[in-house]
Amino acid sequence: ITGTGSSQPNGVVTAATLGVTGATSVAGVFTFDNLIDLYHSVIGPYRMSPSCGWLMRDSSVATARKIKDTAGHYLWQPSLVPGAPDTLLGKPLRTDPNVAATAISAKSVVFGDFSQYFVRFVNGIRFERSDDYAFNADLITYRAILRADSDLIDTTGAVKYFAGGAS
């Protein structure tokens, strides 16, 4: 999610471009208007893709669920179909604990076409055994090695993030 691309895969949050910056008076928290702006910051063909959706951590989802209109009604409507993901502005919402929490300058909400983010595995998983590594403790050691890399292929507008404004 947040890999730097230097000695580790490039994370989707790291590779995404800025879509919206929050207001300076709310210390990093997004509003429903910010989510609408983020939705429309992704260019149309990517926004209409079936692979397009939201990504945030659970605490950010809780923040989104608490947003109310002027009459005090919650704007969030969870899925009524068992097994179907909740949607926000008609797009599926998924969670990952590695996405940043809402905070000043934090990239706490990601939206876009995730089919443009590719992960490449090289040569599968390699298992190795050593009878010598822990010989003095009379142990056999094992390790598994997986070589992989990842990156966002189209950085012109496929995936964007919300950055919390300063206080």
Side-chain angles (χ1 to χ4, degrees), residues 30 56-66 76 93 95:
F30 55 84
M56 55 183 92
R57 71 174 17 209
D58 281 325
S59 62
S60 297
V61 173
T63 300
R65 291 186 75 150
K66 294 174 188 173
W76 177 279
L93 177 95
T95 61

Side-chain angles (χ1 to χ4, degrees), residues 101-142:
T102 55
I104 295 170
S105 300
K107 300 173 183 179
S108 59
V109 180
V110 184
F111 176 74
D113 183 358
F114 290 94
S115 71
Q116 298 302 306
Y117 183 73
F118 287 84
V119 177
R120 179 179 72 109
F121 294 105
V122 180
N123 296 330
I125 299 175
R126 185 175 79 213
F127 290 98
E128 296 178 349
R129 170 189 163 144
S130 174
D131 295 330
D132 303 322
Y133 176 74
F135 177 78
N136 61 339
D138 200 24
L139 296 174
I140 298 172
T141 55
Y142 298 91

Side-chain angles (χ1 to χ4, degrees), residues 41-92:
S41 71
V42 172
I43 58 178
Y46 291 127
R47 197 171 54 237
M48 298 305 134
S49 167
S51 301
C52 186
W54 301 90
L55 181 65
M56 55 183 92
R57 71 174 17 209
D58 281 325
S59 62
S60 297
V61 173
T63 300
R65 291 186 75 150
K66 294 174 188 173
I67 297 173
K68 298 178 184 177
D69 62 15
T70 55
H73 300 116
Y74 290 103
L75 294 172
W76 177 279
Q77 295 299 319
S79 174
L80 299 175
V81 179
D86 290 338
T87 60
L88 184 59
L89 298 173
K91 293 296 180 179

